[in-house]
Each structure stands twice: as C-alpha cells, then as structure tokens.
Amino acid sequence: MNSVVAINRRARSDEQKALRRQTVLRAAEAYFLEVGYEAFSMAQLAKRAGLVKGTLYLYFKTREELFLTLYEESLTRWSQVFISNLSEPMSSEAYARALHNTALADGTFVPLLIRLEHVIEHNVSTPRLIESKRVFMQRVEVIAESTSKALALSLRQAKEVTKTMGVLLIGATRTDQGPSLEDEELPVDVQDLIASFSSEPLFVKNAVRIIEGIRAEATANSHKTNR
Amino acid sequence: MNSVVAINRRARSDEQKALRRQTVLRAAEAYFLEVGYEAFSMAQLAKRAGLVKGTLYLYFKTREELFLTLYEESLTRWSQVFISNLSEPMSSEAYARALHNTALADGTFVPLLIRLEHVIEHNVSTPRLIESKRVFMQRVEVIAESTSKALALSLRQAKEVTKTMGVLLIGATRTDQGPSLEDEELPVDVQDLIASFSSEPLFVKNAVRIIEGIRAEATANSHKTNR
DNA sequence: TTATATAGCTGACCGCCGATCATTTCAACT
DNA sequence: AGTTGAAATGATCGGCGGTCAGCTATATAA
C-alpha cells in the first residue's frame, strides 16, 4: 500500500533515524509534486509515508522546516544539473536558456524558491535559517565559478550574474505558477496577455540584457580613472 | 469601538451595499497593514469591521477575492503616484528609482503583487480573474504611455519596459519580505548576504541594464534589413 | 532468559481556519 | 399595519498545523 517499505517499526540508531527522515522526505517530494504547496497537508503526508502526523514532528519542527529541507535539496540538485549543462565558452543566450530550462525541469525547485522568503522562512527557527542561508551561499559560489568560465567573466562579475539570475527567475516564472485553466474559458485578450508573459522568452531576453549590461560595465569602468 | 460608523443596520439599496463593501475594504486594508497576509483572518476582519464573519461572504466570495480587490485598488493607486513622479525626460536610473520607491511606499501593493499568481488567483472565480487581468492590462497601457514620454522610447518599447519592471520588482523585493529578525542574532556572513540582496540597488541596477538593453536593441534593429 | 529503562511512536486533543446555511430580523412597499 | 424578501446572523462543518501523556518495542543488564 505504501510506496516505501517501513524497514523497522522503530528507528533507534542514528542511521535508522536518518533513513526514516529520508523516507519522509521522499514521500513529501512525491506528494508535493502531485498537489503543490497550498494543498499539501501534514496528515496526508503522514498517511503516505506510513506513519502518523505526530511522528512527523519528531523529524521536522514545522511544516515549513520540512519545505526548507526540500528546497535545499532541490537547489543543490538543480545546480548540479545546470552546471553540467554549461559549456566553455557559451553565449549569454544559451546560458540563460540552460538556466531557465533546467530550473523548470525540476518540479520542486521553482515552486519552493518563489515561496522561500515570504512564506517558508517565516516559520523556521533562526539557527535553521542561518544554516540554510549558508547552503545558499555555497551554491552561489559553486555556480559562479562555472559561470565565470562559461561566460568569460571575472569571478566578481560571475557572482553578480548568478545572484541576479535568481531574482529574475522568481519574477519571470510567476505566470507558470498561476491557476491552470482551460484556455477555451478565457477571452483572447486575456490569453494574449498571459502568452506575453510566457516565462521562457521573458527570462532569456532579460537575462541576456543583464549579462551584457554587466559585461559592458566592466569595460566602461576600465576606461575610467580609479576614483 | 469600531473604526467605522455603521451607517445603517442593513444595506438595502445598491449605494448602501457599495458603502458597506467599502467599509469592509478599508477595515481589511488597515488590518492587512498591521498583520500581513498569512496572519490575516476573516473572523478578525469581521470583528474590526463591526459585523460577523458570515456577512463578509455576502460581499466577497472568498478571502482571495477580497485580496484581489485590494490588489487592484493598490495597483491603481500606486500607478497614479508613480506616474505623477515621472518627469520628461528623465534618466533610466531616476525612472527605476521612482518606480521602486513608490512601489515600496505603498504598504499593500508589493505584498499582494508577489502573492498574486501563486496564491490569490488560485481561489478566485474565472470571470473575476478575467476582470482583474483587464484592469491590469489597462494599467500597463497607462503606465507605458507615461514611460514612453519619460524615457523617450517608442510605445512598443515602453510597454515592454513596463511589463519587465513588474517582473523585476517581484524578484528584487523578495528580501524585504523575509522574516524580520534582529540583526544581532545573525552571524556577519549571513548579514552580508542579506545586505547584498538589498532591494533598492538590486532593482535599480538591473532595471537600468534592462532599459538600456531595450533601447540598444532598437538602434541595432534599425541598422538591419527588415528580414 | 528475563527484567528493566529508554525513547520512538501513537492517536486523541487543542484552538483556529475558511466557508456554509437555516433562521432571524428589519427596511421598504402595499 | 401588514406583508415580504433580502440582509444579517451565528451555530456548525470539515480540516488544518501542532502538542502531549501514555503506550510499547527494543537495547541492555542481570
């Protein structure tokens, strides 16, 4: 009945506890992919993971700490996929396209990213928040290194590109997160509006503008005196 | 006790109903400014508006339709303030700064904007959604017209700038929506990270890059043959 | 092999949420 | 004054995230 076999009735050793935590996380991810953030309930998750709601709270302090963990996992997973899709050198456009497509291909990453600051982080302990921010910084570092090579930018520039791409990604993928309705229900003017906010071209075009802007600032600065 | 005097025990005429709807909206806005989106409860709102929870649902189908109405109001209000802050001509940077500062100055606009697609629109009837999208299109039109004059761009370019600024605003104001915690609790590396995502410079710098990018594309295209 | 102590796990319970609806009540019209 | 229909009510619903006293499986000691 359950998707994961409960190996033991009780997890006593640290390894067993880690294993149980993992089965919860995997069940949570599968469930999240089905129903999304708002419809996700802890009681349902417990059922699917083959235990009871109270037990979940032995492994995660709050619903949001569970989501924060899923976010961290998806960030790391995505960053690896993204980096493996880069070549040296590549165009800004190809870079932007790779970033966008790998991000959207991971069903967990974007939905959690866009809720990170204004929902998830508000019900998480401060130490856990700090830990999470450090994971984030580390990923930025790693991505920036690859970005530097792919786009032939200084590390400082590459770091700025990396951070800015995150900002743009959040804004550009909004429409994909809107209500999914049959297009036939919508009048053409509204359909056109939604089409004009289609995330892929929106992201890619502006990513290129920003990357080229950052590149241009460097050459402009090198022509100036050091004030 | 109540902030608004209940003019009548019952609203019978259309004007009276509109008036009561307005008192609910004004109470909702004041309450929202105090507690934000997640802590906002319909029962509390009813108390503050001087009526009972069930009555709210005579005037708004769902909590989200109430928020959608507040969003539309704030969008219109902000766009007027923003436009009145534009001059002709002005620099991209001044334009971006005006946009960012007027948007953040309105306590309702940004918090609702960032939740629009992935929360609010998911519990709203399709006709109401269509109506709301049309209000949005109309505001884009109005803002684009002023943008065209302020930045000396074609209307087509100005419309693209306007839409893109919305996307960027959502991404850039994320950090402002994070948990508000005493800075002393955070280690310096995390403080630095948060500071590096400070929304004003983040927005302004990238807005300028995008605006200048759009401007440059026009001159580049005019040098090409019409393919 | 059996007794004991530990801690993982349970499920009933809490307060609150958004939303509904049969009933009450009052303003307007005859 | 009597009638009526819609505005307002408040009890009620199912479900939510989260808690906790008690149960019991399990590791260890005797």
Side-chain angles (χ1 to χ4, degrees):
Chain A
M1 187 70 71
N2 300 322
S3 50
V4 186
V5 188
I7 35 134
N8 274 322
R9 304 265 282 123
R10 276 170 198 219
R12 310 273 310 213
S13 70
D14 284 356
E15 306 102 271
Q16 283 175 319
K17 287 203 256 183
L19 214 76
R20 173 140 298 176
R21 199 181 140 99
Q22 268 304 308
T23 71
V24 171
L25 280 170
R26 299 288 65 80
E29 190 150 39
Y31 177 38
F32 179 73
L33 285 171
E34 282 179 31
V35 304
Y37 193 89
E38 276 73 25
F40 187 107
S41 103
M42 295 296 271
Q44 268 302 310
L45 170 61
K47 261 185 199 157
R48 297 181 55 133
L51 25 83
V52 119
K53 194 167 53 160
T55 310
L56 291 181
Y57 288 88
L58 300 176
Y59 292 89
F60 301 93
K61 282 206 207 87
T62 62
R63 183 178 122 113
E64 283 72 24
E65 292 213 2
L66 168 63
F67 279 122
L68 185 60
T69 306
L70 284 181
Y71 163 74
E72 287 173 347
E73 285 188 356
S74 73
L75 170 64
T76 303
R77 186 199 312 137
W78 162 75
S79 69
Q80 287 165 352
V81 173
F82 172 52
I83 286 172
S84 77
N85 272 254
L86 296 181
S87 48
E88 308 170 12
M90 73 194 301
S91 70
S92 308
E93 186 179 332
Y95 174 89
R97 211 179 293 280
L99 194 157
H100 178 272
N101 293 345
T102 53
L104 286 211
D106 187 308
T108 323
F109 181 49
V110 170
L112 291 178
L113 176 65
I114 64 176
R115 286 167 176 90
L116 186 63
E117 269 94 350
H118 67 265
V119 185
I120 299 176
E121 289 186 354
H122 281 274
N123 201 10
V124 151
S125 69
T126 304
R128 188 67 188 80
L129 181 68
I130 291 168
E131 185 192 342
S132 163
K133 290 296 181 188
R134 289 200 168 124
V135 169
F136 175 74
M137 283 188 271
Q138 199 208 337
R139 291 336 288 179
V140 169
E141 218 68 47
V142 172
I143 297 168
E145 212 167 305
S146 297
T147 298
S148 168
K149 288 173 195 155
L151 297 179
L153 294 172
S154 74
L155 199 58
R156 212 206 95 263
Q157 289 179 308
K159 214 185 273 188
E160 177 149 15
V161 167
T162 304
K163 288 183 175 184
T164 310
M165 291 300 104
V167 169
L168 189 60
L169 188 65
I170 290 166
T173 51
R174 275 202 315 162
T175 316
D176 300 298
Q177 309 299 325
S180 60
L181 21 74
E182 300 303 317
D183 278 359
E184 303 115 32
E185 294 181 45
L186 296 180
V188 285
D189 58 339
V190 177
Q191 284 186 39
D192 288 349
L193 177 75
I194 291 176
S196 81
F197 277 94
S198 170
S199 86
E200 212 246 0
L202 193 61
F203 178 83
V204 172
K205 279 164 81 172
N206 289 297
V208 169
R209 286 165 186 152
I210 287 168
I211 294 170
E212 294 310 320
I214 289 175
R215 204 192 293 282
E217 285 156 26
T219 65
N221 283 341
S222 71
H223 287 211
K224 282 185 199 166
T225 59
N226 208 1
R227 71 178 183 96
Chain B
M1 188 69 72
N2 300 322
S3 50
V4 185
V5 188
I7 33 133
N8 274 322
R9 304 265 282 123
R10 273 171 200 221
R12 308 277 306 217
S13 69
D14 284 356
E15 306 104 88
Q16 284 175 320
K17 287 203 257 183
L19 214 75
R20 172 139 298 176
R21 201 181 139 98
Q22 268 303 309
T23 72
V24 171
L25 280 170
R26 299 288 65 81
E29 189 151 40
Y31 177 39
F32 178 73
L33 286 171
E34 283 178 31
V35 304
Y37 192 89
E38 276 72 26
F40 187 106
S41 102
M42 295 297 271
Q44 268 302 310
L45 170 61
K47 263 186 198 155
R48 296 181 55 132
L51 25 84
V52 118
K53 195 166 52 161
T55 309
L56 291 180
Y57 288 88
L58 300 176
Y59 293 89
F60 300 93
K61 283 208 207 85
T62 62
R63 181 179 124 112
E64 283 72 24
E65 293 212 2
L66 169 62
F67 279 122
L68 186 60
T69 306
L70 284 182
Y71 163 74
E72 287 174 347
E73 285 188 356
S74 74
L75 171 64
T76 303
R77 186 199 313 139
W78 162 75
S79 70
Q80 288 165 352
V81 172
F82 172 53
I83 287 173
S84 75
N85 272 255
L86 296 180
S87 47
E88 307 170 11
M90 73 196 300
S91 69
S92 309
E93 186 180 331
Y95 174 89
R97 212 177 292 281
L99 194 156
H100 178 272
N101 293 345
T102 53
L104 285 212
D106 188 309
T108 324
F109 180 49
V110 170
L112 291 178
L113 176 65
I114 63 176
R115 286 166 176 90
L116 186 64
E117 269 93 351
H118 67 266
V119 186
I120 297 177
E121 288 186 354
H122 281 273
N123 200 9
V124 150
S125 69
T126 304
R128 188 69 188 79
L129 181 69
I130 291 168
E131 184 193 342
S132 162
K133 290 295 182 189
R134 290 201 167 125
V135 168
F136 175 74
M137 283 188 271
Q138 199 208 338
R139 290 336 289 179
V140 168
E141 219 67 48
V142 171
I143 297 168
E145 212 166 306
S146 296
T147 298
S148 169
K149 289 174 195 154
L151 296 179
L153 295 171
S154 75
L155 198 58
R156 212 206 94 263
Q157 289 178 308
K159 213 185 275 189
E160 177 149 16
V161 167
T162 304
K163 288 183 175 184
T164 311
M165 291 301 104
V167 168
L168 188 59
L169 188 64
I170 290 166
T173 51
R174 274 204 313 162
T175 317
D176 300 298
Q177 309 299 325
S180 61
L181 22 72
E182 301 302 316
D183 278 358
E184 302 116 32
E185 295 181 45
L186 296 180
V188 285
D189 58 338
V190 177
Q191 285 186 37
D192 289 349
L193 177 75
I194 291 176
S196 81
F197 277 95
S198 170
S199 86
E200 212 246 1
L202 193 62
F203 178 83
V204 173
K205 278 164 82 172
N206 289 297
V208 169
R209 285 165 187 153
I210 288 168
I211 294 170
E212 295 309 320
I214 290 176
R215 203 192 295 282
E217 285 155 26
T219 64
N221 283 341
S222 71
H223 287 211
K224 282 184 199 167
T225 59
N226 208 2
R227 72 179 183 97

